[in-house]
Amino acid sequence: MSSIPTKVPFVNLSLQHQPIQSQIEQVIGEIIQRGDFILGQALTEFETAFAAASGVQYGVGVACGTDAIALGLQACGIHPGDEVILPANTFIATIIGVIQAKAIPILVDCDPDTALLDLTAAETAITSKTKAIIPVHLYGQMVSPRQLLDLANRHDIIIFEDAAQAHLAEREGYRAGSIGKAAAFSFYPSKNLGSFGDGGMLITNDAEIAQKMRTLRNYGAPSKYLHTEIGTNSRLDNLQAAVLNVKLPYLEKWNRDRTLAAQYYNTLLEPLKHQGIVPIANHSHSGHIYHLYVIRVTEKSPIDRNTLQEKLARDGIQTGIHYPVPCHLQPAYQNLGNRGDFPRAETLCEQILSLPMYPGLSNIQIEQVVKAIV
Ligand SMILES: *Cc1c(COP(=O)(O)O)cnc(C)c1O
């Protein structure tokens, strides 16, 4: 392969870590000294701080976002055979969580402009077996809390948020994770708040759900050697929590940096609308924390998405596709639908392109990206 120098990487984590590296090394050193590795002090601190920052009472750290969904649904009383509604165009982990909770995933289509779960389609999918809906706050933009609460109240179903891409996002006065019964977060390194490995959390205002979650993540044991549930081993490492404690105070600033970068992209891309390059819409006009900045290369564009992606790569600009195949067309999930069942999600998968986005991305780099698109 010929090597093309990278002008604009897709993400650059070292920019956010360099200024705080010595602080992180210090807290890690303290934990090594204390030997406080499992269910330790830093974890308790981070659980309280992250839940509070999200406007919620309890946080329970787990090994990853997928486990936060799988165990979180069980903690919320989802039983084997219960139907759970979720969007067809999500990251596969949303579905894995539902299946690991032994519930039945019911996919629905999305809004073509925002790529968010279509609540009208969701309402149509509700049956007597439906127990929960999982709004995925995709790319960092929340599904409307008011519309979600209205739907959930009318049909008496649980809202369980997949907020893995939406740390501290806001909409209609709600923070991500504070709308429904409980919410799952991921601290995978490239998320808006990332650890130095895998990590996740369930947050909830319900003390019983929090207690059940603590039991489930720790071998089903509410106290040592008493096993009231089968449970599993899924804890957020104390070392990772310590790293996250150092990073959390910077999250709002990093989110603001992303929002400013997105606004600059929006401004520069505006003239390209007539040639079919259309950014994913921000319907809430604020509170979007831009985990990803995604454009659609629509039918009106003279070149298709894949061709544009290759052209950008030749110019040293790294991009991504989130996600190239909708869940029901993945080999392992063919029982969840056929081609044509979720046409808007299927079309989006062919049109979307994620542009470089991270705190510290400069205006010059954004200009380079947009120039390469034209
Ligand atoms: C990252 C992500 C997850 C899963 O989190 P992991 O920590 O990787 O297990 C779940 N849902 C969405 C929407 C995600 O982006």
Side-chain angles (χ1 to χ4, degrees), residues 62-144:
V62 290
C64 60
T66 309
D67 282 359
I69 299 169
L71 302 176
L73 286 170
Q74 292 170 60
C76 287
I78 300 301
H79 294 115
D82 288 346
E83 291 181 0
V84 175
I85 292 173
L86 69 153
N89 63 323
T90 182
F91 181 54
I92 209 70
T94 320
I95 294 202
I96 294 176
V98 173
I99 292 174
Q100 288 197 342
K102 299 195 172 64
I104 301 168
I106 303 292
L107 299 182
V108 298
D109 214 346
C110 60
D111 178 289
D113 299 320
T114 60
L116 295 175
L117 173 69
D118 175 350
L119 290 174
T120 308
E123 183 146 26
T124 312
I126 292 175
T127 72
S128 58
K129 288 190 191 155
T130 307
K131 285 289 157 56
I133 182 167
I134 306 186
V136 179
H137 302 316
L138 199 67
Y139 307 148
Q141 174 168 216
M142 287 174 72
V143 178
S144 166

Side-chain angles (χ1 to χ4, degrees), residues 222-346:
S223 59
K224 207 167 191 184
Y225 305 130
L226 169 67
H227 302 280
T228 54
E229 315 270 346
I230 292 172
T232 188
N233 175 354
S234 177
R235 299 168 299 221
L236 178 60
D237 286 338
N238 206 44
L239 280 173
Q240 299 296 355
V243 171
L244 290 162
N245 274 328
V246 174
K247 292 181 74 173
L248 181 59
Y250 300 91
L251 178 56
E252 288 204 48
K253 187 205 173 292
W254 289 333
N255 282 347
R256 243 188 338 268
D257 277 7
R258 289 172 181 271
T259 305
L260 289 173
Q263 285 165 354
Y264 196 43
Y265 268 129
N266 284 342
T267 305
L268 296 184
L269 287 169
E270 181 65 32
L272 299 190
K273 274 196 179 138
H274 72 272
Q275 22 180 121
I277 303 291
V278 184
I280 290 290
N282 177 359
H283 273 192
S284 48
H285 301 296
S286 68
H288 189 328
I289 50 107
Y290 290 97
H291 172 58
L292 294 166
Y293 185 87
V294 179
I295 59 169
R296 285 188 297 143
V297 184
T298 66
E299 304 84 357
K300 274 172 75 182
S301 163
I303 59 172
D304 66 16
R305 189 268 316 275
N306 291 347
T307 313
L308 177 60
Q309 185 174 36
E310 285 158 21
K311 176 168 146 19
L312 290 173
R314 279 196 303 276
D315 278 344
I317 288 155
Q318 292 179 344
T319 57
I321 299 171
H322 301 87
Y323 298 92
V325 178
C327 297
H328 64 292
L329 300 180
Q330 288 287 357
Y333 301 97
Q334 286 174 2
N335 59 324
L336 297 183
N338 298 308
R339 190 173 289 280
D341 284 354
F342 310 106
R344 296 193 296 262
E346 290 168 26

Side-chain angles (χ1 to χ4, degrees), residues 338-357:
N338 298 308
R339 190 173 289 280
D341 284 354
F342 310 106
R344 296 193 296 262
E346 290 168 26
T347 301
L348 265 181
C349 288
E350 290 165 10
Q351 296 186 340
I352 46 180
L353 186 66
S354 308
L355 302 182
M357 171 54 75

